[in-house]
Amino acid sequence: MTTSLPDDVRDALLRAGDRLGLFAGRLQWYQEVASTNDVAGRLAETGADEGTVVAADAQTSGRGRLGRQWSSPPGAGLYTSVILRPAPAVLGLITIAVGVAIAEGCQAATGLHATLKWPNDLYVGARKLAGVLAEAGTSDRGIRHVIVGFGINLVPAAYPAEVAARATSIEVELGRVVDRGLVLAECLAALSSRYGDLCERRTEHVLAAWRRRAAETFGRSVEWDVSGAVRRGVVDDIDGEGALLVRSARGTERLIAGEVRWL
Ligand code: BTN
């Protein structure tokens, strides 16, 4: 069941005003849900507007990419999903644009600079700060909507102790308390702006912003899995469709899904 917006969130959204674009006035807040992506997916199926935002204080079955769990204890992270209904031409770069937007939103709200690891993980140094899960809703007529869910670690309680060496939070990095309402508002404002870039075919702006945030990835050695085998190469670039270009013994390989591991 939805509940009224927490005061910190409501105030920050009001201050962000028209920068929220298509997300203005469309946030539904829940105390606890299984997954905000599931709630947003159900709303999308029943005709909810593009720009509808679902956020929760806690998730009991938060999920990440590649079938992983996303730890989501109460108040420790931001757990948010938005409904988008992109034109087919825009679909391929959604995940890239969202990674850029969440990094820009976190920085605008707190000053913290996060880098991007393909396709859209946010890192500070070698530790993961936030992740994005984009899920398409389809019918026989193709893709009907995309649910974009993002999880941002606000405090260390957001992640289990066993991943503490590989994860971080905004408060750990900054050494101070942050305003989660402001982080959410700035992420939605940045998402509205970057989605606008895609819709108005300014894809080069989005790709350039992604490359700037991922600069330290270029030239690094990585490995990835292909049909049970491990391949290695050196990251070169992303192409105009958001695929990662990696130089390997076989030439330039084009990765369109999955993930790479830094070596
Ligand atoms: C990843 O890095 O693997 C992606 C993590 C995405 C987590 C968010 S939290 C809000 C939304 N609801 C979910 O169940 N997952 C996403």
PDB file of all heavy atoms in Angstrom, residues 34-38 54 59 61-66 68-70 72 78-81 120-121 128 130-133 135 148-152, ligand 1:
ATOM      1  N   ALA A  34       8.161  -6.077  -2.250  1.00  0.00           N
ATOM      2  CA  ALA A  34       9.104  -7.133  -2.645  1.00  0.00           C
ATOM      3  C   ALA A  34      10.194  -6.496  -3.502  1.00  0.00           C
ATOM      4  O   ALA A  34      11.382  -6.587  -3.206  1.00  0.00           O
ATOM      5  CB  ALA A  34       8.370  -8.237  -3.392  1.00  0.00           C
ATOM      6  N   SER A  35       9.782  -5.838  -4.578  1.00  0.00           N
ATOM      7  CA  SER A  35      10.734  -5.158  -5.475  1.00  0.00           C
ATOM      8  C   SER A  35      10.003  -3.990  -6.123  1.00  0.00           C
ATOM      9  O   SER A  35       8.891  -4.165  -6.636  1.00  0.00           O
ATOM     10  CB  SER A  35      11.207  -6.145  -6.549  1.00  0.00           C
ATOM     11  OG  SER A  35      11.702  -5.442  -7.665  1.00  0.00           O
ATOM     12  N   THR A  36      10.620  -2.835  -6.108  1.00  0.00           N
ATOM     13  CA  THR A  36       9.972  -1.680  -6.753  1.00  0.00           C
ATOM     14  C   THR A  36       9.823  -1.924  -8.259  1.00  0.00           C
ATOM     15  O   THR A  36       8.900  -1.407  -8.884  1.00  0.00           O
ATOM     16  CB  THR A  36      10.761  -0.371  -6.506  1.00  0.00           C
ATOM     17  OG1 THR A  36      12.114  -0.553  -6.924  1.00  0.00           O
ATOM     18  CG2 THR A  36      10.712   0.041  -5.043  1.00  0.00           C
ATOM     19  N   ASN A  37      10.729  -2.719  -8.851  1.00  0.00           N
ATOM     20  CA  ASN A  37      10.560  -3.044 -10.280  1.00  0.00           C
ATOM     21  C   ASN A  37       9.270  -3.823 -10.512  1.00  0.00           C
ATOM     22  O   ASN A  37       8.590  -3.626 -11.523  1.00  0.00           O
ATOM     23  CB  ASN A  37      11.759  -3.857 -10.798  1.00  0.00           C
ATOM     24  CG  ASN A  37      12.830  -2.975 -11.430  1.00  0.00           C
ATOM     25  OD1 ASN A  37      13.034  -1.850 -10.975  1.00  0.00           O
ATOM     26  ND2 ASN A  37      13.510  -3.473 -12.442  1.00  0.00           N
ATOM     27  N   ASP A  38       8.927  -4.723  -9.585  1.00  0.00           N
ATOM     28  CA  ASP A  38       7.685  -5.489  -9.748  1.00  0.00           C
ATOM     29  C   ASP A  38       6.469  -4.578  -9.635  1.00  0.00           C
ATOM     30  O   ASP A  38       5.519  -4.688 -10.421  1.00  0.00           O
ATOM     31  CB  ASP A  38       7.583  -6.580  -8.669  1.00  0.00           C
ATOM     32  CG  ASP A  38       8.597  -7.688  -8.890  1.00  0.00           C
ATOM     33  OD1 ASP A  38       9.145  -7.783 -10.005  1.00  0.00           O
ATOM     34  OD2 ASP A  38       8.845  -8.448  -7.931  1.00  0.00           O
ATOM     35  N   VAL A  54       8.176   4.657  -8.573  1.00  0.00           N
ATOM     36  CA  VAL A  54       7.859   3.858  -7.385  1.00  0.00           C
ATOM     37  C   VAL A  54       9.118   3.787  -6.529  1.00  0.00           C
ATOM     38  O   VAL A  54      10.182   3.396  -7.021  1.00  0.00           O
ATOM     39  CB  VAL A  54       7.434   2.427  -7.795  1.00  0.00           C
ATOM     40  CG1 VAL A  54       7.265   1.542  -6.573  1.00  0.00           C
ATOM     41  CG2 VAL A  54       6.165   2.458  -8.627  1.00  0.00           C
ATOM     42  N   GLN A  59      13.014  -3.169   0.527  1.00  0.00           N
ATOM     43  CA  GLN A  59      12.544  -4.229  -0.386  1.00  0.00           C
ATOM     44  C   GLN A  59      12.868  -5.582   0.263  1.00  0.00           C
ATOM     45  O   GLN A  59      13.947  -5.768   0.827  1.00  0.00           O
ATOM     46  CB  GLN A  59      13.273  -4.166  -1.728  1.00  0.00           C
ATOM     47  CG  GLN A  59      13.081  -2.875  -2.511  1.00  0.00           C
ATOM     48  CD  GLN A  59      13.776  -2.928  -3.871  1.00  0.00           C
ATOM     49  OE1 GLN A  59      13.133  -2.885  -4.889  1.00  0.00           O
ATOM     50  NE2 GLN A  59      15.094  -3.019  -3.872  1.00  0.00           N
ATOM     51  N   SER A  61      12.614  -8.502  -1.619  1.00  0.00           N
ATOM     52  CA  SER A  61      13.206  -9.334  -2.683  1.00  0.00           C
ATOM     53  C   SER A  61      13.828  -8.453  -3.755  1.00  0.00           C
ATOM     54  O   SER A  61      13.582  -8.657  -4.953  1.00  0.00           O
ATOM     55  CB  SER A  61      12.148 -10.227  -3.333  1.00  0.00           C
ATOM     56  OG  SER A  61      11.505 -11.016  -2.388  1.00  0.00           O
ATOM     57  N   GLY A  62      14.613  -7.483  -3.321  1.00  0.00           N
ATOM     58  CA  GLY A  62      15.284  -6.608  -4.292  1.00  0.00           C
ATOM     59  C   GLY A  62      16.190  -7.461  -5.176  1.00  0.00           C
ATOM     60  O   GLY A  62      16.846  -8.383  -4.696  1.00  0.00           O
ATOM     61  N   ARG A  63      16.212  -7.167  -6.455  1.00  0.00           N
ATOM     62  CA  ARG A  63      17.074  -7.969  -7.325  1.00  0.00           C
ATOM     63  C   ARG A  63      17.995  -7.089  -8.160  1.00  0.00           C
ATOM     64  O   ARG A  63      17.664  -5.940  -8.479  1.00  0.00           O
ATOM     65  CB  ARG A  63      16.269  -8.911  -8.218  1.00  0.00           C
ATOM     66  CG  ARG A  63      15.298  -8.248  -9.128  1.00  0.00           C
ATOM     67  CD  ARG A  63      14.574  -9.277  -9.999  1.00  0.00           C
ATOM     68  NE  ARG A  63      13.637  -8.597 -10.856  1.00  0.00           N
ATOM     69  CZ  ARG A  63      12.397  -8.281 -10.522  1.00  0.00           C
ATOM     70  NH1 ARG A  63      11.938  -8.604  -9.331  1.00  0.00           N
ATOM     71  NH2 ARG A  63      11.618  -7.639 -11.370  1.00  0.00           N
ATOM     72  N   GLY A  64      19.130  -7.682  -8.505  1.00  0.00           N
ATOM     73  CA  GLY A  64      20.111  -6.988  -9.316  1.00  0.00           C
ATOM     74  C   GLY A  64      20.206  -7.625 -10.681  1.00  0.00           C
ATOM     75  O   GLY A  64      19.392  -8.481 -11.048  1.00  0.00           O
ATOM     76  N   ARG A  65      21.211  -7.214 -11.453  1.00  0.00           N
ATOM     77  CA  ARG A  65      21.421  -7.788 -12.777  1.00  0.00           C
ATOM     78  C   ARG A  65      21.905  -9.219 -12.636  1.00  0.00           C
ATOM     79  O   ARG A  65      22.415  -9.629 -11.603  1.00  0.00           O
ATOM     80  CB  ARG A  65      22.448  -6.964 -13.555  1.00  0.00           C
ATOM     81  CG  ARG A  65      21.968  -5.545 -13.864  1.00  0.00           C
ATOM     82  CD  ARG A  65      23.027  -4.763 -14.601  1.00  0.00           C
ATOM     83  NE  ARG A  65      23.279  -5.344 -15.902  1.00  0.00           N
ATOM     84  CZ  ARG A  65      24.475  -5.743 -16.331  1.00  0.00           C
ATOM     85  NH1 ARG A  65      25.537  -5.622 -15.558  1.00  0.00           N
ATOM     86  NH2 ARG A  65      24.614  -6.258 -17.527  1.00  0.00           N
ATOM     87  N   LEU A  66      21.730  -9.998 -13.693  1.00  0.00           N
ATOM     88  CA  LEU A  66      22.257 -11.360 -13.807  1.00  0.00           C
ATOM     89  C   LEU A  66      21.764 -12.258 -12.671  1.00  0.00           C
ATOM     90  O   LEU A  66      22.500 -13.104 -12.155  1.00  0.00           O
ATOM     91  CB  LEU A  66      23.791 -11.316 -13.842  1.00  0.00           C
ATOM     92  CG  LEU A  66      24.391 -10.364 -14.908  1.00  0.00           C
ATOM     93  CD1 LEU A  66      25.891 -10.238 -14.752  1.00  0.00           C
ATOM     94  CD2 LEU A  66      24.025 -10.828 -16.312  1.00  0.00           C
ATOM     95  N   ARG A  68      21.099 -11.683  -9.581  1.00  0.00           N
ATOM     96  CA  ARG A  68      21.625 -11.509  -8.224  1.00  0.00           C
ATOM     97  C   ARG A  68      20.600 -10.850  -7.303  1.00  0.00           C
ATOM     98  O   ARG A  68      19.639 -10.250  -7.782  1.00  0.00           O
ATOM     99  CB  ARG A  68      22.889 -10.646  -8.262  1.00  0.00           C
ATOM    100  CG  ARG A  68      23.990 -11.317  -9.053  1.00  0.00           C
ATOM    101  CD  ARG A  68      25.243 -10.471  -9.040  1.00  0.00           C
ATOM    102  NE  ARG A  68      26.240 -11.111  -9.868  1.00  0.00           N
ATOM    103  CZ  ARG A  68      26.946 -10.517 -10.828  1.00  0.00           C
ATOM    104  NH1 ARG A  68      26.780  -9.233 -11.071  1.00  0.00           N
ATOM    105  NH2 ARG A  68      27.826 -11.177 -11.531  1.00  0.00           N
ATOM    106  N   GLN A  69      20.847 -10.955  -6.002  1.00  0.00           N
ATOM    107  CA  GLN A  69      19.987 -10.251  -5.037  1.00  0.00           C
ATOM    108  C   GLN A  69      20.503  -8.835  -4.861  1.00  0.00           C
ATOM    109  O   GLN A  69      21.694  -8.590  -5.045  1.00  0.00           O
ATOM    110  CB  GLN A  69      20.069 -10.940  -3.679  1.00  0.00           C
ATOM    111  CG  GLN A  69      19.389 -12.281  -3.661  1.00  0.00           C
ATOM    112  CD  GLN A  69      19.410 -12.865  -2.255  1.00  0.00           C
ATOM    113  OE1 GLN A  69      20.163 -12.425  -1.385  1.00  0.00           O
ATOM    114  NE2 GLN A  69      18.587 -13.870  -2.049  1.00  0.00           N
ATOM    115  N   TRP A  70      19.596  -7.939  -4.487  1.00  0.00           N
ATOM    116  CA  TRP A  70      20.018  -6.578  -4.131  1.00  0.00           C
ATOM    117  C   TRP A  70      19.535  -6.320  -2.714  1.00  0.00           C
ATOM    118  O   TRP A  70      18.343  -6.183  -2.468  1.00  0.00           O
ATOM    119  CB  TRP A  70      19.445  -5.543  -5.098  1.00  0.00           C
ATOM    120  CG  TRP A  70      20.008  -4.160  -4.874  1.00  0.00           C
ATOM    121  CD1 TRP A  70      19.421  -3.141  -4.166  1.00  0.00           C
ATOM    122  CD2 TRP A  70      21.270  -3.659  -5.341  1.00  0.00           C
ATOM    123  NE1 TRP A  70      20.237  -2.045  -4.173  1.00  0.00           N
ATOM    124  CE2 TRP A  70      21.379  -2.329  -4.882  1.00  0.00           C
ATOM    125  CE3 TRP A  70      22.313  -4.198  -6.087  1.00  0.00           C
ATOM    126  CZ2 TRP A  70      22.497  -1.528  -5.161  1.00  0.00           C
ATOM    127  CZ3 TRP A  70      23.416  -3.409  -6.364  1.00  0.00           C
ATOM    128  CH2 TRP A  70      23.498  -2.092  -5.900  1.00  0.00           C
ATOM    129  N   SER A  72      18.358  -4.742   0.514  1.00  0.00           N
ATOM    130  CA  SER A  72      17.557  -3.506   0.567  1.00  0.00           C
ATOM    131  C   SER A  72      16.950  -3.256   1.937  1.00  0.00           C
ATOM    132  O   SER A  72      15.728  -3.150   2.093  1.00  0.00           O
ATOM    133  CB  SER A  72      16.424  -3.575  -0.468  1.00  0.00           C
ATOM    134  OG  SER A  72      16.862  -4.007  -1.727  1.00  0.00           O
ATOM    135  N   LEU A  78      18.572   3.918  -1.497  1.00  0.00           N
ATOM    136  CA  LEU A  78      17.421   4.384  -2.278  1.00  0.00           C
ATOM    137  C   LEU A  78      17.027   3.253  -3.198  1.00  0.00           C
ATOM    138  O   LEU A  78      17.883   2.728  -3.934  1.00  0.00           O
ATOM    139  CB  LEU A  78      17.795   5.604  -3.116  1.00  0.00           C
ATOM    140  CG  LEU A  78      17.722   6.961  -2.448  1.00  0.00           C
ATOM    141  CD1 LEU A  78      18.109   8.047  -3.454  1.00  0.00           C
ATOM    142  CD2 LEU A  78      16.331   7.245  -1.902  1.00  0.00           C
ATOM    143  N   TYR A  79      15.774   2.862  -3.168  1.00  0.00           N
ATOM    144  CA  TYR A  79      15.276   1.762  -4.002  1.00  0.00           C
ATOM    145  C   TYR A  79      14.138   2.345  -4.836  1.00  0.00           C
ATOM    146  O   TYR A  79      13.044   2.603  -4.316  1.00  0.00           O
ATOM    147  CB  TYR A  79      14.766   0.616  -3.124  1.00  0.00           C
ATOM    148  CG  TYR A  79      15.673   0.331  -1.939  1.00  0.00           C
ATOM    149  CD1 TYR A  79      15.209   0.495  -0.625  1.00  0.00           C
ATOM    150  CD2 TYR A  79      16.994  -0.084  -2.129  1.00  0.00           C
ATOM    151  CE1 TYR A  79      16.041   0.252   0.461  1.00  0.00           C
ATOM    152  CE2 TYR A  79      17.831  -0.326  -1.044  1.00  0.00           C
ATOM    153  CZ  TYR A  79      17.342  -0.156   0.245  1.00  0.00           C
ATOM    154  OH  TYR A  79      18.168  -0.382   1.322  1.00  0.00           O
ATOM    155  N   THR A  80      14.406   2.563  -6.105  1.00  0.00           N
ATOM    156  CA  THR A  80      13.483   3.348  -6.933  1.00  0.00           C
ATOM    157  C   THR A  80      13.360   2.753  -8.326  1.00  0.00           C
ATOM    158  O   THR A  80      14.361   2.300  -8.896  1.00  0.00           O
ATOM    159  CB  THR A  80      14.019   4.795  -7.079  1.00  0.00           C
ATOM    160  OG1 THR A  80      14.296   5.307  -5.789  1.00  0.00           O
ATOM    161  CG2 THR A  80      13.038   5.694  -7.778  1.00  0.00           C
ATOM    162  N   SER A  81      12.151   2.766  -8.877  1.00  0.00           N
ATOM    163  CA  SER A  81      11.930   2.311 -10.254  1.00  0.00           C
ATOM    164  C   SER A  81      11.046   3.313 -10.975  1.00  0.00           C
ATOM    165  O   SER A  81      10.121   3.875 -10.383  1.00  0.00           O
ATOM    166  CB  SER A  81      11.240   0.945 -10.273  1.00  0.00           C
ATOM    167  OG  SER A  81      12.007  -0.002  -9.558  1.00  0.00           O
ATOM    168  N   ASN A 120      26.357  -0.034 -16.601  1.00  0.00           N
ATOM    169  CA  ASN A 120      25.837   1.088 -15.800  1.00  0.00           C
ATOM    170  C   ASN A 120      26.015   0.927 -14.299  1.00  0.00           C
ATOM    171  O   ASN A 120      25.189   1.404 -13.528  1.00  0.00           O
ATOM    172  CB  ASN A 120      24.361   1.350 -16.146  1.00  0.00           C
ATOM    173  CG  ASN A 120      23.539   0.083 -16.060  1.00  0.00           C
ATOM    174  OD1 ASN A 120      23.939  -0.857 -15.377  1.00  0.00           O
ATOM    175  ND2 ASN A 120      22.420   0.047 -16.734  1.00  0.00           N
ATOM    176  N   ASP A 121      27.075   0.259 -13.879  1.00  0.00           N
ATOM    177  CA  ASP A 121      27.372   0.202 -12.445  1.00  0.00           C
ATOM    178  C   ASP A 121      28.108   1.466 -12.040  1.00  0.00           C
ATOM    179  O   ASP A 121      29.007   1.917 -12.753  1.00  0.00           O
ATOM    180  CB  ASP A 121      28.287  -0.988 -12.130  1.00  0.00           C
ATOM    181  CG  ASP A 121      27.563  -2.317 -12.217  1.00  0.00           C
ATOM    182  OD1 ASP A 121      26.326  -2.335 -12.094  1.00  0.00           O
ATOM    183  OD2 ASP A 121      28.246  -3.335 -12.404  1.00  0.00           O
ATOM    184  N   LYS A 128      31.636  -0.727  -5.431  1.00  0.00           N
ATOM    185  CA  LYS A 128      30.365  -0.410  -6.100  1.00  0.00           C
ATOM    186  C   LYS A 128      29.458   0.414  -5.181  1.00  0.00           C
ATOM    187  O   LYS A 128      29.240   0.059  -4.018  1.00  0.00           O
ATOM    188  CB  LYS A 128      29.679  -1.718  -6.511  1.00  0.00           C
ATOM    189  CG  LYS A 128      28.372  -1.507  -7.256  1.00  0.00           C
ATOM    190  CD  LYS A 128      27.984  -2.739  -8.036  1.00  0.00           C
ATOM    191  CE  LYS A 128      26.543  -2.675  -8.497  1.00  0.00           C
ATOM    192  NZ  LYS A 128      26.206  -3.728  -9.442  1.00  0.00           N
ATOM    193  N   ALA A 130      26.318   1.888  -6.606  1.00  0.00           N
ATOM    194  CA  ALA A 130      24.923   1.846  -7.063  1.00  0.00           C
ATOM    195  C   ALA A 130      24.830   0.989  -8.320  1.00  0.00           C
ATOM    196  O   ALA A 130      25.824   0.780  -9.016  1.00  0.00           O
ATOM    197  CB  ALA A 130      24.440   3.274  -7.374  1.00  0.00           C
ATOM    198  N   GLY A 131      23.623   0.499  -8.591  1.00  0.00           N
ATOM    199  CA  GLY A 131      23.417  -0.319  -9.782  1.00  0.00           C
ATOM    200  C   GLY A 131      22.052  -0.052 -10.386  1.00  0.00           C
ATOM    201  O   GLY A 131      21.156   0.496  -9.728  1.00  0.00           O
ATOM    202  N   VAL A 132      21.917  -0.432 -11.639  1.00  0.00           N
ATOM    203  CA  VAL A 132      20.679  -0.186 -12.392  1.00  0.00           C
ATOM    204  C   VAL A 132      20.195  -1.497 -12.998  1.00  0.00           C
ATOM    205  O   VAL A 132      20.987  -2.266 -13.554  1.00  0.00           O
ATOM    206  CB  VAL A 132      20.939   0.823 -13.542  1.00  0.00           C
ATOM    207  CG1 VAL A 132      19.667   1.032 -14.353  1.00  0.00           C
ATOM    208  CG2 VAL A 132      21.468   2.143 -13.004  1.00  0.00           C
ATOM    209  N   LEU A 133      18.914  -1.747 -12.886  1.00  0.00           N
ATOM    210  CA  LEU A 133      18.301  -2.931 -13.496  1.00  0.00           C
ATOM    211  C   LEU A 133      17.171  -2.461 -14.408  1.00  0.00           C
ATOM    212  O   LEU A 133      16.162  -1.945 -13.934  1.00  0.00           O
ATOM    213  CB  LEU A 133      17.736  -3.848 -12.399  1.00  0.00           C
ATOM    214  CG  LEU A 133      16.968  -5.080 -12.868  1.00  0.00           C
ATOM    215  CD1 LEU A 133      17.902  -6.069 -13.560  1.00  0.00           C
ATOM    216  CD2 LEU A 133      16.281  -5.760 -11.680  1.00  0.00           C
ATOM    217  N   GLU A 135      14.312  -3.539 -17.101  1.00  0.00           N
ATOM    218  CA  GLU A 135      13.544  -4.719 -17.511  1.00  0.00           C
ATOM    219  C   GLU A 135      12.436  -4.280 -18.479  1.00  0.00           C
ATOM    220  O   GLU A 135      11.681  -3.353 -18.174  1.00  0.00           O
ATOM    221  CB  GLU A 135      12.939  -5.416 -16.293  1.00  0.00           C
ATOM    222  CG  GLU A 135      14.023  -5.942 -15.348  1.00  0.00           C
ATOM    223  CD  GLU A 135      13.455  -6.599 -14.099  1.00  0.00           C
ATOM    224  OE1 GLU A 135      12.561  -6.005 -13.449  1.00  0.00           O
ATOM    225  OE2 GLU A 135      13.897  -7.699 -13.765  1.00  0.00           O
ATOM    226  N   VAL A 148      12.926   0.910 -15.257  1.00  0.00           N
ATOM    227  CA  VAL A 148      14.315   1.179 -14.897  1.00  0.00           C
ATOM    228  C   VAL A 148      14.380   1.314 -13.382  1.00  0.00           C
ATOM    229  O   VAL A 148      13.814   2.249 -12.805  1.00  0.00           O
ATOM    230  CB  VAL A 148      14.805   2.483 -15.563  1.00  0.00           C
ATOM    231  CG1 VAL A 148      16.181   2.849 -15.031  1.00  0.00           C
ATOM    232  CG2 VAL A 148      14.847   2.321 -17.069  1.00  0.00           C
ATOM    233  N   GLY A 149      15.059   0.363 -12.756  1.00  0.00           N
ATOM    234  CA  GLY A 149      15.186   0.394 -11.294  1.00  0.00           C
ATOM    235  C   GLY A 149      16.614   0.746 -10.914  1.00  0.00           C
ATOM    236  O   GLY A 149      17.559   0.232 -11.513  1.00  0.00           O
ATOM    237  N   PHE A 150      16.761   1.634  -9.940  1.00  0.00           N
ATOM    238  CA  PHE A 150      18.123   1.919  -9.471  1.00  0.00           C
ATOM    239  C   PHE A 150      18.200   1.819  -7.955  1.00  0.00           C
ATOM    240  O   PHE A 150      17.268   2.179  -7.230  1.00  0.00           O
ATOM    241  CB  PHE A 150      18.674   3.266  -9.973  1.00  0.00           C
ATOM    242  CG  PHE A 150      17.808   4.466  -9.715  1.00  0.00           C
ATOM    243  CD1 PHE A 150      17.987   5.224  -8.562  1.00  0.00           C
ATOM    244  CD2 PHE A 150      16.845   4.853 -10.625  1.00  0.00           C
ATOM    245  CE1 PHE A 150      17.212   6.363  -8.317  1.00  0.00           C
ATOM    246  CE2 PHE A 150      16.056   5.983 -10.394  1.00  0.00           C
ATOM    247  CZ  PHE A 150      16.234   6.728  -9.241  1.00  0.00           C
ATOM    248  N   GLY A 151      19.305   1.267  -7.521  1.00  0.00           N
ATOM    249  CA  GLY A 151      19.562   1.121  -6.086  1.00  0.00           C
ATOM    250  C   GLY A 151      20.852   1.855  -5.759  1.00  0.00           C
ATOM    251  O   GLY A 151      21.869   1.641  -6.422  1.00  0.00           O
ATOM    252  N   ILE A 152      20.794   2.746  -4.780  1.00  0.00           N
ATOM    253  CA  ILE A 152      21.978   3.540  -4.398  1.00  0.00           C
ATOM    254  C   ILE A 152      22.243   3.300  -2.915  1.00  0.00           C
ATOM    255  O   ILE A 152      21.335   3.469  -2.083  1.00  0.00           O
ATOM    256  CB  ILE A 152      21.733   5.047  -4.634  1.00  0.00           C
ATOM    257  CG1 ILE A 152      21.351   5.317  -6.094  1.00  0.00           C
ATOM    258  CG2 ILE A 152      22.972   5.863  -4.234  1.00  0.00           C
ATOM    259  CD1 ILE A 152      20.896   6.745  -6.375  1.00  0.00           C
TER     260      ILE A 152
HETATM  261  C1  BTN B   1      22.697  -4.305 -10.168  1.00  0.00           C
HETATM  262  O1  BTN B   1      23.696  -3.586 -10.022  1.00  0.00           O
HETATM  263  O2  BTN B   1      22.786  -5.534 -10.208  1.00  0.00           O
HETATM  264  C2  BTN B   1      21.365  -3.629 -10.298  1.00  0.00           C
HETATM  265  C3  BTN B   1      20.729  -3.343  -8.969  1.00  0.00           C
HETATM  266  C4  BTN B   1      19.366  -2.696  -9.092  1.00  0.00           C
HETATM  267  C5  BTN B   1      18.666  -2.579  -7.761  1.00  0.00           C
HETATM  268  C6  BTN B   1      17.409  -1.775  -7.856  1.00  0.00           C
HETATM  269  S1  BTN B   1      16.769  -1.301  -6.281  1.00  0.00           S
HETATM  270  C7  BTN B   1      15.302  -0.737  -7.039  1.00  0.00           C
HETATM  271  C8  BTN B   1      14.949  -1.728  -8.117  1.00  0.00           C
HETATM  272  N1  BTN B   1      14.197  -2.841  -7.568  1.00  0.00           N
HETATM  273  C9  BTN B   1      14.855  -3.990  -7.662  1.00  0.00           C
HETATM  274  O3  BTN B   1      14.426  -5.097  -7.266  1.00  0.00           O
HETATM  275  N2  BTN B   1      16.044  -3.785  -8.234  1.00  0.00           N
HETATM  276  C10 BTN B   1      16.243  -2.400  -8.593  1.00  0.00           C
END
